[in-house]
Amino acid sequence: MFGELVRKNRTKRIYNRSDVSLSLLKELIEDARFSASTVNRQEIRYILVNDDQMCRKIFRITNLSTTHKVDEENRPGAFIVMITKREINLPDSFLYYNLGIATANLTLSASSRGYSCVTLLSTNMEKLGELISLDGEYKAVSVIAVGKSDQEVRTVDLEGGDTSYYKEEGVHIVPKLTADTLIVGTI
Ligand SMILES: Cc1cc2nc3c(=O)[nH]c(=O)nc-3n(C[C@H](O)[C@H](O)[C@H](O)COP(=O)(O)O)c2cc1C
């Protein structure tokens, strides 16, 4: 059911050493390709990365290794780099709306198949483009890590206040505002 899937689709940052096949990554794009986009322009393209050496290099420029102190041995088994042409004549607000929808569908698809993801937008996208030798006509606009994870993540309901995630006895806790808090009006 959708409700279960969306609750299960938590960000994971600690991965085990399982490989992620190109065929699995292709299945995720096969689902994401049905995403809505501004006037159906479909400007997003994907580069699928599961080469171990390249995954190591990408891992090192994400904040998994710095801010989140994830050990290299717990790096994700794959990355999906989302790219667009530099000149697409589309305001960033539209582009990032489209990226959000594609990301949601892609990560839900991964969760439904027993894989986990983390969106890594804080990555230096110019550096990422250079790492993967991206054609200068294109730019990297997002990157999603994909892998198998045993990390325990739980959500807790929150009526308001601090939404920061935290650790409790080794479990990653993600506070989620209740529907009553989110709905600020009915007309
Ligand atoms: C647009 C976007 C950018 C994000 N960028 C990063 C990032 O650079 N590094 C990271 O560790 N997590 C990143 N995240 C993951 C969020 O921190 C995560 O979604 C949030 O803590 C809520 O957890 P949940 O996904 O399990 O609901 C990003 C998420 C989104 C939607």
PDB file of all heavy atoms in Angstrom, residues 152-178:
ATOM      1  N   GLU A 152      18.924   1.480  11.314  1.00  0.00           N
ATOM      2  CA  GLU A 152      17.567   1.592  11.864  1.00  0.00           C
ATOM      3  C   GLU A 152      17.162   3.065  11.922  1.00  0.00           C
ATOM      4  O   GLU A 152      17.870   3.897  12.523  1.00  0.00           O
ATOM      5  CB  GLU A 152      17.521   0.963  13.267  1.00  0.00           C
ATOM      6  CG  GLU A 152      16.115   0.561  13.652  1.00  0.00           C
ATOM      7  CD  GLU A 152      16.018  -0.043  15.037  1.00  0.00           C
ATOM      8  OE1 GLU A 152      17.000  -0.689  15.478  1.00  0.00           O
ATOM      9  OE2 GLU A 152      14.965   0.137  15.666  1.00  0.00           O
ATOM     10  N   VAL A 153      16.059   3.374  11.275  1.00  0.00           N
ATOM     11  CA  VAL A 153      15.553   4.751  11.233  1.00  0.00           C
ATOM     12  C   VAL A 153      14.086   4.712  11.641  1.00  0.00           C
ATOM     13  O   VAL A 153      13.332   3.866  11.180  1.00  0.00           O
ATOM     14  CB  VAL A 153      15.681   5.339   9.807  1.00  0.00           C
ATOM     15  CG1 VAL A 153      15.062   6.731   9.737  1.00  0.00           C
ATOM     16  CG2 VAL A 153      17.143   5.398   9.365  1.00  0.00           C
ATOM     17  N   ARG A 154      13.715   5.637  12.543  1.00  0.00           N
ATOM     18  CA  ARG A 154      12.325   5.687  12.997  1.00  0.00           C
ATOM     19  C   ARG A 154      11.801   7.108  12.903  1.00  0.00           C
ATOM     20  O   ARG A 154      12.559   8.052  13.134  1.00  0.00           O
ATOM     21  CB  ARG A 154      12.272   5.229  14.464  1.00  0.00           C
ATOM     22  CG  ARG A 154      11.211   4.207  14.707  1.00  0.00           C
ATOM     23  CD  ARG A 154      11.086   3.639  16.095  1.00  0.00           C
ATOM     24  NE  ARG A 154      11.696   4.340  17.185  1.00  0.00           N
ATOM     25  CZ  ARG A 154      12.624   3.801  17.964  1.00  0.00           C
ATOM     26  NH1 ARG A 154      13.070   2.596  17.755  1.00  0.00           N
ATOM     27  NH2 ARG A 154      13.117   4.496  18.975  1.00  0.00           N
ATOM     28  N   THR A 155      10.535   7.258  12.586  1.00  0.00           N
ATOM     29  CA  THR A 155       9.943   8.587  12.646  1.00  0.00           C
ATOM     30  C   THR A 155       9.180   8.721  13.966  1.00  0.00           C
ATOM     31  O   THR A 155       8.708   7.719  14.518  1.00  0.00           O
ATOM     32  CB  THR A 155       8.959   8.835  11.481  1.00  0.00           C
ATOM     33  OG1 THR A 155       7.905   7.883  11.563  1.00  0.00           O
ATOM     34  CG2 THR A 155       9.646   8.733  10.126  1.00  0.00           C
ATOM     35  N   VAL A 156       9.111   9.943  14.467  1.00  0.00           N
ATOM     36  CA  VAL A 156       8.241  10.218  15.628  1.00  0.00           C
ATOM     37  C   VAL A 156       7.365  11.409  15.253  1.00  0.00           C
ATOM     38  O   VAL A 156       7.783  12.292  14.509  1.00  0.00           O
ATOM     39  CB  VAL A 156       9.035  10.549  16.923  1.00  0.00           C
ATOM     40  CG1 VAL A 156       9.739   9.323  17.453  1.00  0.00           C
ATOM     41  CG2 VAL A 156      10.022  11.687  16.696  1.00  0.00           C
ATOM     42  N   ASP A 157       6.133  11.407  15.765  1.00  0.00           N
ATOM     43  CA  ASP A 157       5.211  12.513  15.496  1.00  0.00           C
ATOM     44  C   ASP A 157       5.592  13.721  16.337  1.00  0.00           C
ATOM     45  O   ASP A 157       5.963  13.582  17.501  1.00  0.00           O
ATOM     46  CB  ASP A 157       3.774  12.099  15.810  1.00  0.00           C
ATOM     47  CG  ASP A 157       3.238  11.116  14.777  1.00  0.00           C
ATOM     48  OD1 ASP A 157       3.903  10.922  13.737  1.00  0.00           O
ATOM     49  OD2 ASP A 157       2.164  10.546  15.020  1.00  0.00           O
ATOM     50  N   LEU A 158       5.477  14.889  15.735  1.00  0.00           N
ATOM     51  CA  LEU A 158       5.856  16.137  16.408  1.00  0.00           C
ATOM     52  C   LEU A 158       4.749  17.152  16.160  1.00  0.00           C
ATOM     53  O   LEU A 158       4.275  17.298  15.024  1.00  0.00           O
ATOM     54  CB  LEU A 158       7.184  16.608  15.789  1.00  0.00           C
ATOM     55  CG  LEU A 158       7.922  17.764  16.430  1.00  0.00           C
ATOM     56  CD1 LEU A 158       8.504  17.329  17.779  1.00  0.00           C
ATOM     57  CD2 LEU A 158       9.062  18.241  15.515  1.00  0.00           C
ATOM     58  N   GLU A 159       4.370  17.862  17.225  1.00  0.00           N
ATOM     59  CA  GLU A 159       3.297  18.862  17.078  1.00  0.00           C
ATOM     60  C   GLU A 159       3.864  20.223  16.677  1.00  0.00           C
ATOM     61  O   GLU A 159       3.120  21.114  16.258  1.00  0.00           O
ATOM     62  CB  GLU A 159       2.532  19.022  18.412  1.00  0.00           C
ATOM     63  CG  GLU A 159       1.934  17.737  18.966  1.00  0.00           C
ATOM     64  CD  GLU A 159       0.753  17.223  18.169  1.00  0.00           C
ATOM     65  OE1 GLU A 159       0.205  17.987  17.363  1.00  0.00           O
ATOM     66  OE2 GLU A 159       0.402  16.019  18.345  1.00  0.00           O
ATOM     67  N   GLY A 160       5.166  20.389  16.829  1.00  0.00           N
ATOM     68  CA  GLY A 160       5.796  21.676  16.512  1.00  0.00           C
ATOM     69  C   GLY A 160       7.157  21.691  17.159  1.00  0.00           C
ATOM     70  O   GLY A 160       7.542  20.729  17.818  1.00  0.00           O
ATOM     71  N   GLY A 161       7.912  22.784  16.969  1.00  0.00           N
ATOM     72  CA  GLY A 161       9.229  22.897  17.603  1.00  0.00           C
ATOM     73  C   GLY A 161      10.335  22.372  16.715  1.00  0.00           C
ATOM     74  O   GLY A 161      10.253  22.465  15.495  1.00  0.00           O
ATOM     75  N   ASP A 162      11.352  21.777  17.335  1.00  0.00           N
ATOM     76  CA  ASP A 162      12.585  21.420  16.633  1.00  0.00           C
ATOM     77  C   ASP A 162      12.397  20.158  15.782  1.00  0.00           C
ATOM     78  O   ASP A 162      12.111  19.090  16.320  1.00  0.00           O
ATOM     79  CB  ASP A 162      13.694  21.197  17.678  1.00  0.00           C
ATOM     80  CG  ASP A 162      15.061  21.031  17.037  1.00  0.00           C
ATOM     81  OD1 ASP A 162      15.155  21.102  15.783  1.00  0.00           O
ATOM     82  OD2 ASP A 162      16.028  20.820  17.785  1.00  0.00           O
ATOM     83  N   THR A 163      12.567  20.301  14.483  1.00  0.00           N
ATOM     84  CA  THR A 163      12.387  19.146  13.581  1.00  0.00           C
ATOM     85  C   THR A 163      13.713  18.430  13.286  1.00  0.00           C
ATOM     86  O   THR A 163      13.738  17.512  12.455  1.00  0.00           O
ATOM     87  CB  THR A 163      11.766  19.600  12.242  1.00  0.00           C
ATOM     88  OG1 THR A 163      12.641  20.564  11.651  1.00  0.00           O
ATOM     89  CG2 THR A 163      10.381  20.191  12.421  1.00  0.00           C
ATOM     90  N   SER A 164      14.796  18.844  13.952  1.00  0.00           N
ATOM     91  CA  SER A 164      16.102  18.223  13.662  1.00  0.00           C
ATOM     92  C   SER A 164      16.070  16.733  13.952  1.00  0.00           C
ATOM     93  O   SER A 164      15.488  16.297  14.945  1.00  0.00           O
ATOM     94  CB  SER A 164      17.206  18.823  14.537  1.00  0.00           C
ATOM     95  OG  SER A 164      17.201  20.210  14.450  1.00  0.00           O
ATOM     96  N   TYR A 165      16.740  15.965  13.103  1.00  0.00           N
ATOM     97  CA  TYR A 165      16.851  14.536  13.386  1.00  0.00           C
ATOM     98  C   TYR A 165      17.932  14.311  14.436  1.00  0.00           C
ATOM     99  O   TYR A 165      18.801  15.160  14.635  1.00  0.00           O
ATOM    100  CB  TYR A 165      17.103  13.718  12.120  1.00  0.00           C
ATOM    101  CG  TYR A 165      18.152  14.248  11.173  1.00  0.00           C
ATOM    102  CD1 TYR A 165      19.515  14.051  11.420  1.00  0.00           C
ATOM    103  CD2 TYR A 165      17.784  14.930  10.018  1.00  0.00           C
ATOM    104  CE1 TYR A 165      20.475  14.519  10.534  1.00  0.00           C
ATOM    105  CE2 TYR A 165      18.742  15.404   9.126  1.00  0.00           C
ATOM    106  CZ  TYR A 165      20.084  15.203   9.398  1.00  0.00           C
ATOM    107  OH  TYR A 165      21.033  15.680   8.528  1.00  0.00           O
ATOM    108  N   TYR A 166      17.861  13.188  15.131  1.00  0.00           N
ATOM    109  CA  TYR A 166      18.800  12.913  16.215  1.00  0.00           C
ATOM    110  C   TYR A 166      18.966  11.406  16.394  1.00  0.00           C
ATOM    111  O   TYR A 166      18.239  10.621  15.762  1.00  0.00           O
ATOM    112  CB  TYR A 166      18.325  13.567  17.523  1.00  0.00           C
ATOM    113  CG  TYR A 166      16.924  13.172  17.959  1.00  0.00           C
ATOM    114  CD1 TYR A 166      16.713  12.100  18.836  1.00  0.00           C
ATOM    115  CD2 TYR A 166      15.802  13.855  17.492  1.00  0.00           C
ATOM    116  CE1 TYR A 166      15.435  11.737  19.239  1.00  0.00           C
ATOM    117  CE2 TYR A 166      14.512  13.501  17.883  1.00  0.00           C
ATOM    118  CZ  TYR A 166      14.340  12.435  18.759  1.00  0.00           C
ATOM    119  OH  TYR A 166      13.073  12.062  19.139  1.00  0.00           O
ATOM    120  N   LYS A 167      19.907  11.039  17.250  1.00  0.00           N
ATOM    121  CA  LYS A 167      20.150   9.613  17.548  1.00  0.00           C
ATOM    122  C   LYS A 167      19.623   9.285  18.935  1.00  0.00           C
ATOM    123  O   LYS A 167      19.765  10.085  19.866  1.00  0.00           O
ATOM    124  CB  LYS A 167      21.654   9.324  17.550  1.00  0.00           C
ATOM    125  CG  LYS A 167      22.281   9.256  16.180  1.00  0.00           C
ATOM    126  CD  LYS A 167      22.718   7.830  15.852  1.00  0.00           C
ATOM    127  CE  LYS A 167      23.256   7.677  14.451  1.00  0.00           C
ATOM    128  NZ  LYS A 167      22.557   8.398  13.415  1.00  0.00           N
ATOM    129  N   GLU A 168      19.008   8.114  19.069  1.00  0.00           N
ATOM    130  CA  GLU A 168      18.549   7.649  20.382  1.00  0.00           C
ATOM    131  C   GLU A 168      18.888   6.174  20.467  1.00  0.00           C
ATOM    132  O   GLU A 168      18.328   5.377  19.692  1.00  0.00           O
ATOM    133  CB  GLU A 168      17.043   7.866  20.494  1.00  0.00           C
ATOM    134  CG  GLU A 168      16.515   7.839  21.913  1.00  0.00           C
ATOM    135  CD  GLU A 168      15.037   8.235  21.932  1.00  0.00           C
ATOM    136  OE1 GLU A 168      14.206   7.360  21.605  1.00  0.00           O
ATOM    137  OE2 GLU A 168      14.726   9.398  22.219  1.00  0.00           O
ATOM    138  N   GLU A 169      19.809   5.847  21.337  1.00  0.00           N
ATOM    139  CA  GLU A 169      20.282   4.460  21.492  1.00  0.00           C
ATOM    140  C   GLU A 169      20.634   3.841  20.141  1.00  0.00           C
ATOM    141  O   GLU A 169      20.194   2.734  19.811  1.00  0.00           O
ATOM    142  CB  GLU A 169      19.242   3.615  22.234  1.00  0.00           C
ATOM    143  CG  GLU A 169      19.060   4.051  23.681  1.00  0.00           C
ATOM    144  CD  GLU A 169      17.856   3.410  24.353  1.00  0.00           C
ATOM    145  OE1 GLU A 169      17.172   2.605  23.705  1.00  0.00           O
ATOM    146  OE2 GLU A 169      17.612   3.726  25.532  1.00  0.00           O
ATOM    147  N   GLY A 170      21.369   4.600  19.356  1.00  0.00           N
ATOM    148  CA  GLY A 170      21.851   4.100  18.062  1.00  0.00           C
ATOM    149  C   GLY A 170      20.837   4.157  16.930  1.00  0.00           C
ATOM    150  O   GLY A 170      21.166   3.853  15.792  1.00  0.00           O
ATOM    151  N   VAL A 171      19.608   4.546  17.256  1.00  0.00           N
ATOM    152  CA  VAL A 171      18.581   4.622  16.205  1.00  0.00           C
ATOM    153  C   VAL A 171      18.483   6.067  15.707  1.00  0.00           C
ATOM    154  O   VAL A 171      18.491   7.007  16.512  1.00  0.00           O
ATOM    155  CB  VAL A 171      17.204   4.152  16.748  1.00  0.00           C
ATOM    156  CG1 VAL A 171      16.138   4.235  15.672  1.00  0.00           C
ATOM    157  CG2 VAL A 171      17.309   2.740  17.305  1.00  0.00           C
ATOM    158  N   HIS A 172      18.411   6.220  14.393  1.00  0.00           N
ATOM    159  CA  HIS A 172      18.273   7.554  13.792  1.00  0.00           C
ATOM    160  C   HIS A 172      16.786   7.941  13.846  1.00  0.00           C
ATOM    161  O   HIS A 172      15.942   7.248  13.277  1.00  0.00           O
ATOM    162  CB  HIS A 172      18.779   7.490  12.344  1.00  0.00           C
ATOM    163  CG  HIS A 172      18.720   8.799  11.631  1.00  0.00           C
ATOM    164  ND1 HIS A 172      19.660   9.794  11.798  1.00  0.00           N
ATOM    165  CD2 HIS A 172      17.830   9.280  10.728  1.00  0.00           C
ATOM    166  CE1 HIS A 172      19.354  10.828  11.035  1.00  0.00           C
ATOM    167  NE2 HIS A 172      18.239  10.544  10.372  1.00  0.00           N
ATOM    168  N   ILE A 173      16.486   9.022  14.549  1.00  0.00           N
ATOM    169  CA  ILE A 173      15.082   9.427  14.739  1.00  0.00           C
ATOM    170  C   ILE A 173      14.784  10.660  13.884  1.00  0.00           C
ATOM    171  O   ILE A 173      15.532  11.646  13.915  1.00  0.00           O
ATOM    172  CB  ILE A 173      14.792   9.774  16.221  1.00  0.00           C
ATOM    173  CG1 ILE A 173      15.275   8.664  17.159  1.00  0.00           C
ATOM    174  CG2 ILE A 173      13.304  10.086  16.415  1.00  0.00           C
ATOM    175  CD1 ILE A 173      14.425   7.425  17.220  1.00  0.00           C
ATOM    176  N   VAL A 174      13.694  10.575  13.131  1.00  0.00           N
ATOM    177  CA  VAL A 174      13.305  11.679  12.239  1.00  0.00           C
ATOM    178  C   VAL A 174      11.921  12.188  12.670  1.00  0.00           C
ATOM    179  O   VAL A 174      10.910  11.534  12.417  1.00  0.00           O
ATOM    180  CB  VAL A 174      13.245  11.206  10.768  1.00  0.00           C
ATOM    181  CG1 VAL A 174      13.037  12.389   9.831  1.00  0.00           C
ATOM    182  CG2 VAL A 174      14.507  10.450  10.391  1.00  0.00           C
ATOM    183  N   PRO A 175      11.869  13.355  13.333  1.00  0.00           N
ATOM    184  CA  PRO A 175      10.565  13.882  13.751  1.00  0.00           C
ATOM    185  C   PRO A 175       9.768  14.352  12.530  1.00  0.00           C
ATOM    186  O   PRO A 175      10.311  15.020  11.644  1.00  0.00           O
ATOM    187  CB  PRO A 175      10.933  15.089  14.629  1.00  0.00           C
ATOM    188  CG  PRO A 175      12.385  14.940  14.943  1.00  0.00           C
ATOM    189  CD  PRO A 175      12.986  14.213  13.786  1.00  0.00           C
ATOM    190  N   LYS A 176       8.519  13.970  12.489  1.00  0.00           N
ATOM    191  CA  LYS A 176       7.642  14.398  11.383  1.00  0.00           C
ATOM    192  C   LYS A 176       6.444  15.133  11.975  1.00  0.00           C
ATOM    193  O   LYS A 176       5.767  14.620  12.878  1.00  0.00           O
ATOM    194  CB  LYS A 176       7.151  13.176  10.589  1.00  0.00           C
ATOM    195  CG  LYS A 176       8.247  12.477   9.790  1.00  0.00           C
ATOM    196  CD  LYS A 176       8.771  13.343   8.661  1.00  0.00           C
ATOM    197  CE  LYS A 176       9.823  12.627   7.828  1.00  0.00           C
ATOM    198  NZ  LYS A 176      10.493  13.536   6.867  1.00  0.00           N
ATOM    199  N   LEU A 177       6.180  16.312  11.463  1.00  0.00           N
ATOM    200  CA  LEU A 177       5.048  17.104  11.949  1.00  0.00           C
ATOM    201  C   LEU A 177       3.748  16.379  11.634  1.00  0.00           C
ATOM    202  O   LEU A 177       3.597  15.784  10.561  1.00  0.00           O
ATOM    203  CB  LEU A 177       5.070  18.492  11.288  1.00  0.00           C
ATOM    204  CG  LEU A 177       6.285  19.362  11.669  1.00  0.00           C
ATOM    205  CD1 LEU A 177       6.325  20.634  10.819  1.00  0.00           C
ATOM    206  CD2 LEU A 177       6.263  19.714  13.160  1.00  0.00           C
ATOM    207  N   THR A 178       2.824  16.436  12.577  1.00  0.00           N
ATOM    208  CA  THR A 178       1.542  15.756  12.381  1.00  0.00           C
ATOM    209  C   THR A 178       0.703  16.495  11.340  1.00  0.00           C
ATOM    210  O   THR A 178       0.921  17.688  11.077  1.00  0.00           O
ATOM    211  CB  THR A 178       0.742  15.722  13.707  1.00  0.00           C
ATOM    212  OG1 THR A 178       0.535  17.079  14.116  1.00  0.00           O
ATOM    213  CG2 THR A 178       1.470  14.952  14.783  1.00  0.00           C
TER     214      THR A 178
END
